[in-house]
Amino acid sequence: MTATTRDGAREAVLGRVRDALTLAPKPESVVERSYRTDRTLPDEQRLELLVDRLVDYKAQVHPCTADTTAVTIARVLAERGVRTVGVPAGLDRSWLADFDGTVQEDTPDLPAPRLDALDGVVTSSAVSCAETGTIFLDGSPDQGRRALSLVPDLHVCVVDLSTVEVGVPEALARLVPERPTTLISGPSATSDIELERVEGVHGPRTLDVVVRTDA
C-alpha cells in the first residue's frame, strides 16, 4: 500500500467518525437526578444507619455526648489495655483528660517502628457516610498523617454526628479534593488468602468509633 493510499484510507475512516459525531444526539447539559431528591435523615436515623454499618464491618461503636467524650475514650482505652496512645498534634487534649496513661504526640519525623510500638491511636475525623459505614480522614491537624492511623494496631476514631452524611456523594461534597483522604470502613481486613477473613493486614486490627451525638 502506498503512502497516498494509506492517507486516503485514514481520511475516509476519520470522515465517517466525524459524520457519526455530527449525527449523534447532543448530551443534556444537566443530568436529571430526581431519584436523589431526598438524601437527608433525622439525627436518630443517621446514627442508627451508621452504627448498623459499622457493626456489620466488625467495628465497635460507642455513642456519647460532648460532655462524656473524655470518659468514653478513657473507658475504651482501658478496656483495650492501652498504656501508651498516639495522638495527632491538633487533637483536642481535653478528650484525653481521663486517660491515665502516656500520650505520645505524633511528629513528621516519628519513625514507623515508634508508631508500631504504640498501644493505639486516637484521632478525630473529617466526615462519614452512614449508608456505607465509611469514615473519611483528610489529614487535618486533629487527624494527623496517614501513617498515624494505619500503623498502630488499635484506632479509636471520634466522629461528630454533625459530620455524618447519608450517602457517598453528600460525604464527598464536604471534602477538599486536594487533601490526602483516607477511607476507613471497619478494621483492616482481607479475604484474599483461602477466602478466609484476616484482620490487621493493611492497617489497624481493631477499630473503636466514638460517636458524639450532640457535638
Side-chain angles (χ1 to χ4, degrees):
M1 180 182 293
T2 64
T4 302
T5 304
R6 286 197 300 270
D7 291 343
R10 181 179 61 186
E11 287 304 317
V13 172
L14 293 177
R16 292 181 182 180
V17 171
R18 285 190 288 267
D19 292 342
L21 291 175
T22 301
L23 297 175
K26 301 297 182 183
E28 297 290 337
S29 57
V30 178
V31 178
E32 180 61 36
R33 303 288 189 186
S34 58
Y35 60 91
R36 297 189 59 84
T37 53
D38 185 11
R39 301 298 295 168
T40 60
L41 289 173
D43 287 352
E44 296 79 5
Q45 295 183 32
R46 290 202 331 278
L47 176 60
E48 181 181 4
L49 182 59
L50 177 66
V51 171
D52 178 77
R53 297 297 189 268
L54 287 171
V55 170
D56 189 53
Y57 286 139
K58 301 186 182 303
Q60 299 294 317
V61 184
H62 313 271
C64 70
T65 64
D67 292 338
T68 60
T69 302
V71 67
T72 302
I73 292 176
R75 174 177 55 80
V76 171
L77 295 177
E79 291 174 351
R80 298 296 185 187
V82 174
R83 299 307 305 162
T84 303
V85 66
V87 298
L91 188 76
D92 187 343
R93 290 303 182 89
S94 68
W95 291 357
L96 296 170
D98 291 350
F99 174 63
D100 59 1
T102 302
V103 178
Q104 170 68 63
E105 182 176 306
D106 185 39
T107 59
D109 59 349
L110 195 66
R114 289 280 300 280
L115 294 177
D116 190 44
L118 297 171
D119 296 325
V121 59
V122 177
T123 75
S124 184
S125 58
V127 65
S128 299
C129 175
E131 213 166 45
T132 63
T134 303
I135 301 171
F136 298 77
L137 276 59
D138 66 0
S140 294
D142 60 353
Q143 297 155 53
R145 53 178 174 149
R146 184 169 288 149
L148 179 64
S149 60
L150 294 179
V151 176
D153 203 41
L154 166 67
H155 183 190
V156 179
C157 188
V158 180
V159 172
D160 289 341
L161 187 57
S162 61
T163 66
V164 178
E165 295 288 348
V166 177
V168 173
E170 293 77 21
L172 292 176
R174 297 183 62 162
L175 296 171
V176 179
E178 294 78 16
R179 298 197 65 83
T181 304
T182 302
L183 280 64
I184 303 171
S185 295
S188 171
T190 180
S191 297
D192 294 340
I193 304 173
E194 300 298 332
L195 299 181
E196 293 187 8
R197 181 182 173 93
V198 179
E199 297 177 354
V201 177
H202 309 110
R205 192 187 315 270
T206 305
L207 173 66
D208 281 288
V209 182
V210 176
V211 183
R212 297 175 6 127
T213 57
D214 63 350

